Amino acid sequence: MSRLPIRSLLVLTLLLVALPVEGQRGRDYPEPSVDLDLPVGTPAPAFEGELPDPPLQQNRTGTYGGTLVYSILGEVETFNPVEPKGATSQELRALVFSGLVSYSNGHWQPAPLLAHKWDVSEDHRTWTFHLRRGVRFSDGRPLTIDDVEFSFRAIFHPQVPSSIRDGFRDEEGRYPTMSVDREAQTISFTTHDVDSQFLTHVGNVSIVPKHILGDHLQDENPTILEQMTSAADPSTIVGCGPFVLKSYAPAERVVYERNPHYWETDARGERLPYFDRIVIALIKDQNLQVQKFLAGEHDLLDTLPPDRYREAADAAKGDDAAFEVLTLGCSLNTNWVAFNLHPGTNPSTGKPFVAEEKQHWFQQLDFRRAVNHAIDRRGIVKSALEGRGRPIWASITPGNRNFYCKDVERYPHDLELAGKLLDDLGWKDTDGDGFREDDKGRKISFDLNTNVENNTRLQICNLLKNDLARVGIEVNFKAIDFNGLVTRLRDSHEWDMILLGWGSGVPADPSNSKNINRTSGRLHVWYPGQPQPSPIEWEREVDKLVGRLDRELDPAVRKEISDQIQIAVSRHIPILYLVASNQYSLGKKSIGNLWPSLLRPSVTWNIQELYRKGDPGTR
Amino acid sequence: MNASDARRVEPIATEGPGLPPPRGPWKMLWLRLRKNRIAMTGGLILIFLYFISCFAGFLSPYDFNDVNTDTTRYGPMLLGGIAVEQVGTHLVEIENEDYEWVEVEKPEFEPRWEWFRGGLTFRDPEGRFTLRPHVHALREFVSYDEIGETTYYLASDPEVRIPIRFLPRQERAVEVASLFGFFKIKAKRKLFGVERPAEWAERGDDADLMHAEVFLLGSDQNGRDLMTRIFFGGQISMSVGLLGILISMTIGLVFGGVAGYYGGLTDFSMMRLTELLMAIPGLYLILTLRYVIPTKLDSRQTYLMIVGILALAGWASLGRVIRGMVLSLRENEYTLAARALGAGDRRVILRHVLPNTASFVIVTATLYVPYYILGEVALSFLGLGITEPDTSWGLLLKDAQNSQVLKYSPWLILPGFFIFFAVLAFNFLGDGLRDAADPRANLSKKKTA
C-alpha cells in the first residue's frame, strides 16, 4: 500500500468531451442468403400429399432434420386458437395453425399465407381473400373455403368471448359482414368504415378444421372453447401450420413434430419446415431462461434482458463460442410515469380519487413540465439500464422504423429550469425542510407506485425520487404487486403517480396502441372512463386524430397523423415517457436462416425456415 | 485457603469466613458462559454488529440513499481498485445532439481489478507518504464493443488522490445514532468522508467525468455506498429478531403457563386455539397485511408491524411446548408445597412454575432470533418486506441474485456475510447459553466438552 501505484491510463483525451445523448436505433438484419448447394437431407417424418395451387415459395434454402430447442416464459393456458389466452398460448398458436394472412417480422409487412392474394374495393371497405387450393390439414383432409368461413363464424359468434373479435369492431360497435363464394374459393368482408388495420385482424384468425369442430359451434352455448384445451389429447388437435403437437407436459415442455402435409416450399421447391421436431421448455423465471441458454441447453433465446447483456456478450466472444448475441437495437417497449389526472370522485365514498391539493398540482402543466425537466433520463440509462438504452420522449421509440417521430417536445434534464418553473408557480420551500410548499402552504408530497416484481422499475423509481427531491418535491415511493397496481389503475383510480411500461404489439402500428391515447381506451391511464366527447380540448383533438388514423390507408399520411398525436401528447405530458432499453436475442451459430427482428417473437417468427447447419444426423 | 478444603472441614457451612459468597443462578450462568470461548466469540460479534447498526449514521460516510448515477458498481476501496485499459476502437453509429445518426470512432475499454492498488492509499496528492488515508479519484469511461453496445466503467485515476477528512462538517444535521431507526440523535458530524477538491473546477469538461467518493466496501448499481447501506440495513435486520422473539415469547409464556397449569377445559380450548393459529399460512397473512397497511407509513414502520403480527402468529408452537413443560412442573413437590402453603395461582405460576422454564426460554429465544433474521432476509428478497429505497441485509442481497452481478460485481454479496455471521453468532451464543443453563451439566464436564 505504501508503494506508489504507477499504471498507464490510456487515451483520456478521447473522453474529454461531455457525453452526448447516445443510443442505438433499430438494427436491420439482412434477409438470410440462399445457398442452392446445401445438402437437402431427409425429412423424418416424410412429407405426404401434393402441393397446393398456387404454391407458396420462400426464398430460402436449408437442410432437413434435427430438433430445435428453445424456451418460453410462462405456461400454456390453452391450445385453442379461437381464443388464445395469454402471451404463451398466442405465440405457440402459430406453430400449429395458419391464418389467411401472415406478418413478416423481417420485412415489417403483411405477407400472403393461406390466401394467395387479396383485393380491396375502390372505397376501401370490401376485402376479398382468394384461398389457395389444395392445402391440407395435418390429418390429410383438404382445407376449403368452408373451413375458413367456419373459423370466422366462430370468431364472430356472439356467445364466444373472443378478444380477436374486438379488433374487428369499429367505433360504433359494428362488425364487418361476410360472404363466401364457394366456386371461386373466396371470402369477402365488407366493413362499415375504412379500417387501416383490417389485414392484421384477419391475420389474427386461425383457420380451424370444420370437419372436427363443426358440431361445437351451436347457436346457443357453443362448446368450441372447450375443445383443444391444454388437457386435450395432442392427436386431436388438427391444424394447418408447419408443426403438429406431439406431447405436452405442464410446466415442463411442449414437443412439436413436422406437419407432413405442410405446404410452404423453399427456393429449391423442397417443402418446409426443415426441423423434424421442436422442443419448447416452459420456464417461469427469466434468469433461469438465460442460465439454461448459457449452459448450452437451448438453441435460441428470444429476449435477453439488458442487465444480462455483459455476461452473454463475454461468453459469446471469440471464434469458438457456440452462440452469438443478436442486437436488435432500441426496443419498442417503453417505460413511463403518469400522473393521475382523474378529476372525478369515488361514487361509493364520495371522496375525490385524487386529493384536492394533489389535483391542484398535477393539473398544472408547468408542474408536469418541471417534473419532466427534473428527471435525469441519461442517469437512468446509465445506471438502471447499464448504458444499454436511451431516453425517449414519446410512446413510439426510435426502434420503430416506420413511425418514430423526432419532432416531439423534449424536456432535457435542467434542474435550474425545473426550479424556476416551480418558483413561478409560487411554490417555494417556506419552512426550510428542503421540500417546497404550494401557494396554499401545503407541502408538495405524493406517492409513486410501481410493481415490486420488476427490479429495473424499482431502480428507476428510486432515481426519480432522488431527482425530484433535488427540485424540492417529495416522492414517497412504494412498490406493490402487479395485480394490486392494475386494480388501482383500472378500478379504484386511487393513485398519484405510477411507473409502468408499454409493450409493443405486432405489427408495431400506432393504431394498435389506440387504447392508450383514445380517451375511451382501456389503457388511457391518466384519466380513464372520460365522458364522451372528452371535456378536455386537446384530448378531443387526439381522439379525432386516432379515429383518422384508423381510417387512413396512405402510409405517408398515417405517419403524419401519428406524429401529430405524439406531439400533442408530448406537449401536454399527462404521461412522461422515460427510457427504452436495447433489445437482444441469443442464437446458436449452428442455426441457419436466422432473421432476427425487433418484433416479437424476435427469432422464432420464421421457425419453419430455420435449420441446423452441418450434418443434422449427428444430433 | 481454598473452597474444597473448607468444604471438607465443615461440609454443612454455606456461608462464613473464607467461603466464596453464594452464587445466584444468573451469576452461575455467566461464570459458565464465560468459560465457553465459542459462545463468547459469538457474543462479541453480536456486540459489534449491534454497535455498527446503532451508530450507522456516524460511522458511515453517506446517507443510506445517496443515489449517484455517475458512480455505479465500483469495487471495495478497502481491498483495491479498478483500472481500465483501452483494447481497441470501433466505428459505431450513434445519434448526436442534433438527433442525426453519425458514424464515430469510439474506444473499447476493459476493466481490471487490482488488489490493494488504486483504492485506499497513504500517499498524499504529491506522492509523499502520510498517515492520513487517501482515496483515488474515480473517472468515468464509456466503452463501445464491436456491435456498438455501450458499457460504463468507473476506474480509479492513479495520479489523483483525495484526502479522507475526519469528522467533516455536514450541511444539515444528520442521524448519528439511533436505536434501530427509532429515537434518532442528530448532529452535524460524521466520522469520515471526502470532499470534491475545489481545484477540479479548473479542469473544465474533464472534471465532469471525475468523482471524489469513498466506497470502502464498494458501491451498488445506484451508485450508493455499500458500507453505508449495510450499516443502516443492520438497524432492520438485527432488530427484527429481538422484537419478534420478545413478542412471541411473552405471549407463549403466558398462554402456555395458564393452559398447562389449569389443564382441563381451559387447556383444551386454549390448545385448540393455538392449533387454529398454526394452521394459518404465514405468506397469505403478509400479502393480506400488505393491502391493509396504509401506504402513508414508511416501509420501516410497515415492516415492524408485519414482524409484530408474524410474531403474534408464530408464538403458538412456543406456547405448546411451554404448556407441556408446565404440565409436568405443576406436579413437582415444590409446586405442591407452594400450593399447600396457600400460595395463589398467580404466585405459583409466576414464582415457581415459569422460572423453571427459564433455560428453555433463554435457549429458544437465542436460537429463534436467527429464524427471524432469516425470515426478514427471505421476505425482503421476495419483495414483501423492506423495499427500496430503504435498506436491510435481505434487500441488499436481492441485488446480487443474478449471475451477472456475481461475476462482475462480486462485492454485492457482502451483506450475505453479515447475515451469515449474525446467524452463526446467535447460534453459538444460544448453544453456549443452553450448556450454561443446564443444571445437570457440571463445570468440570463443560471443560472437556
Side-chain angles (χ1 to χ4, degrees), chain B residues 408-428:
Chain B
Y408 300 104
S409 325
W411 56 89
L412 288 180
I413 57 168
L414 276 172
F417 286 93
F418 280 78
I419 297 166
F420 174 75
F421 281 115
V423 170
L424 214 60
F426 268 111
N427 280 327
F428 283 163

Side-chain angles (χ1 to χ4, degrees), chain B residues 4 16 18 73-74 82 95 119 134 177 199 261 334 359 369 419:
Chain B
S4 57
R73 300 183 192 87
Y74 193 75
I82 295 174
E95 197 178 14
H134 285 61
E199 66 267 20
Y261 184 76
Y334 57 83
S359 69
V369 169
I419 297 166

Side-chain angles (χ1 to χ4, degrees), chain A residues 254-535:
Chain A
V254 197
V255 179
Y256 294 90
E257 206 166 63
R258 170 186 294 117
N259 173 3
H261 292 280
Y262 196 61
W263 37 276
E264 265 186 85
T265 58
D266 71 0
R268 294 181 289 197
E270 303 285 348
R271 287 164 75 167
L272 295 175
Y274 294 120
F275 272 111
D276 289 340
R277 269 159 39 102
I278 306 281
V279 176
I280 299 174
L282 301 166
I283 297 182
K284 287 211 168 64
D285 174 52
Q286 207 174 21
N287 277 328
L288 191 62
Q289 230 186 340
V290 179
Q291 222 63 50
K292 290 251 187 196
F293 181 90
L294 293 181
E297 288 182 37
H298 299 159
D299 296 314
L300 301 169
L301 178 69
D302 221 67
T303 311
L304 174 76
D307 60 354
R308 302 296 296 272
Y309 171 81
R310 197 173 159 194
E311 189 183 6
D314 269 5
K317 260 184 197 154
D319 293 333
D320 54 343
F323 68 94
E324 58 184 328
V325 181
L326 307 161
T327 53
L328 310 174
C330 183
S331 163
L332 303 172
N333 302 338
T334 55
N335 290 289
W336 46 261
V337 278
F339 285 110
N340 190 347
L341 301 178
H342 204 309
T345 50
N346 187 339
S348 58
T349 61
K351 277 194 226 155
F353 291 125
V354 187
E356 190 268 322
E357 74 272 13
K358 287 173 184 167
Q359 268 188 44
H360 175 60
W361 309 328
F362 297 165
Q363 299 282 355
Q364 297 276 355
L365 180 58
D366 274 348
F367 169 76
R368 304 199 298 268
R369 282 177 59 204
V371 168
N372 220 345
H373 278 297
I375 296 172
D376 180 10
R377 287 173 170 79
R378 204 175 64 84
I380 295 175
V381 169
K382 239 167 99 172
S383 55
L385 303 182
E386 304 193 18
R388 289 181 276 278
R390 50 173 299 152
I392 52 168
W393 309 93
S395 61
I396 296 177
T397 75
N400 191 327
R401 57 167 101 165
N402 298 335
F403 288 99
Y404 171 58
C405 168
K406 61 180 188 179
D407 299 322
V408 295
E409 201 81 36
R410 297 169 198 242
Y411 302 83
H413 181 48
D414 189 341
L415 290 179
E416 259 173 57
L417 181 55
K420 192 178 164 298
L421 283 167
L422 293 169
D423 285 346
D424 289 349
L425 284 168
W427 302 353
K428 290 172 182 164
D429 182 13
T430 47
D431 58 5
D433 64 349
F435 295 109
R436 289 170 192 268
E437 279 73 34
D438 70 0
D439 42 330
K440 290 178 189 148
R442 297 169 299 201
K443 179 167 148 190
I444 301 181
S445 164
F446 51 86
D447 290 347
L448 168 62
N449 297 124
T450 192
N451 63 315
V452 73
E453 296 90 351
N454 187 318
N455 270 343
T456 310
R457 285 188 193 150
L458 295 180
Q459 216 180 329
I460 296 176
C461 276
N462 200 15
L463 297 173
L464 289 185
K465 178 189 163 86
N466 273 268
D467 283 345
L468 293 184
R470 275 186 201 132
V471 290
I473 296 170
E474 187 184 54
V475 174
N476 307 310
F477 155 42
K478 184 134 186 137
I480 52 183
D481 69 318
F482 186 73
N483 290 337
L485 200 65
V486 171
T487 308
R488 284 184 198 207
L489 213 51
R490 287 221 186 126
D491 306 326
S492 76
H493 305 311
E494 274 156 7
W495 54 277
D496 299 341
M497 194 190 204
I498 273 184
L499 183 137
L500 269 178
W502 300 133
S504 170
V506 178
D509 189 280
S511 277
N512 289 345
S513 55
K514 62 186 174 197
N515 263 334
I516 300 165
N517 287 325
R518 200 163 61 178
T519 54
S520 56
R522 274 184 306 123
L523 299 175
H524 195 73
V525 285
W526 55 91
Y527 181 7
Q530 290 187 19
Q532 296 296 332
S534 167

Side-chain angles (χ1 to χ4, degrees), chain A residues 1-12 14-27 287 291 294 306-315 317 325 327-329 358 376 378-384 386-390 393 398 404 406 410 432-434 445-447 449 452 455 458-459 462-463 465-466 470 476-481 483-484 488 582-584, chain B residues 65-70 72-73 78 82-86 89 93-101 105-112 114 116-118 120-123 127 129 136 139-142 144-153 156-159 161 172 205-206 208-209 221-222 224 290-291 294-297 299 302 382-384 387-389 398 401-404 407-408:
Chain A
M1 200 99 78
S2 56
R3 209 160 57 87
L4 179 71
I6 302 166
R7 266 178 294 117
S8 58
L9 206 81
L10 292 158
V11 272
L12 279 176
L14 268 173
L15 292 155
L16 295 188
V17 283
L19 305 167
V21 189
E22 287 169 359
Q24 280 205 316
R25 70 170 140 184
R27 181 184 291 264
N287 277 328
Q291 222 63 50
L294 293 181
D307 60 354
R308 302 296 296 272
Y309 171 81
R310 197 173 159 194
E311 189 183 6
D314 269 5
K317 260 184 197 154
V325 181
T327 53
L328 310 174
K358 287 173 184 167
D376 180 10
R378 204 175 64 84
I380 295 175
V381 169
K382 239 167 99 172
S383 55
E386 304 193 18
R388 289 181 276 278
R390 50 173 299 152
W393 309 93
Y404 171 58
K406 61 180 188 179
R410 297 169 198 242
D433 64 349
S445 164
F446 51 86
D447 290 347
N449 297 124
V452 73
N455 270 343
L458 295 180
Q459 216 180 329
N462 200 15
L463 297 173
K465 178 189 163 86
N466 273 268
R470 275 186 201 132
N476 307 310
F477 155 42
K478 184 134 186 137
I480 52 183
D481 69 318
N483 290 337
R488 284 184 198 207
N582 292 349
Q583 195 174 315
Y584 309 93
Chain B
N65 193 28
D66 278 350
V67 169
N68 186 346
T69 53
D70 294 329
T72 56
R73 300 183 192 87
L78 209 57
I82 295 174
V84 296
E85 208 176 344
Q86 190 178 353
T89 57
E93 199 186 25
I94 60 166
E95 197 178 14
N96 67 11
E97 280 174 49
D98 299 325
Y99 304 104
E100 288 159 347
W101 292 94
E105 186 124 304
K106 289 285 184 182
E108 178 173 5
F109 295 99
E110 199 129 281
R112 193 176 64 241
E114 299 204 315
F116 305 109
R117 294 170 83 186
L120 209 60
T121 174
F122 288 91
R123 299 267 166 185
F129 178 79
H136 287 280
R139 194 180 268 280
E140 279 178 59
F141 292 86
V142 191
Y144 293 79
D145 61 14
E146 67 266 14
I147 41 184
E149 293 298 320
T150 51
T151 308
Y152 285 83
Y153 294 124
S156 68
D157 186 332
E159 309 303 328
R161 284 167 287 263
R172 50 177 80 224
D205 283 344
D206 185 25
D208 288 346
L209 301 177
Q221 69 272 50
N222 282 333
R224 297 172 293 196
R290 206 64 213 179
Y291 293 110
T295 49
K296 265 286 153 206
L297 291 177
S299 81
T302 316
L382 289 175
L384 292 167
T387 50
E388 288 274 359
K398 189 182 173 187
Q401 64 178 316
N402 78 42
S403 57
Q404 172 155 325
K407 196 166 172 188
Y408 300 104

Side-chain angles (χ1 to χ4, degrees), chain A residues 192-211:
Chain A
H192 299 274
D193 227 333
V194 178
D195 183 355
S196 63
Q197 298 303 301
F198 194 72
L199 277 184
T200 308
H201 303 320
V202 168
N204 277 338
V205 179
S206 302
I207 306 307
V208 292
K210 190 183 179 187
H211 64 272

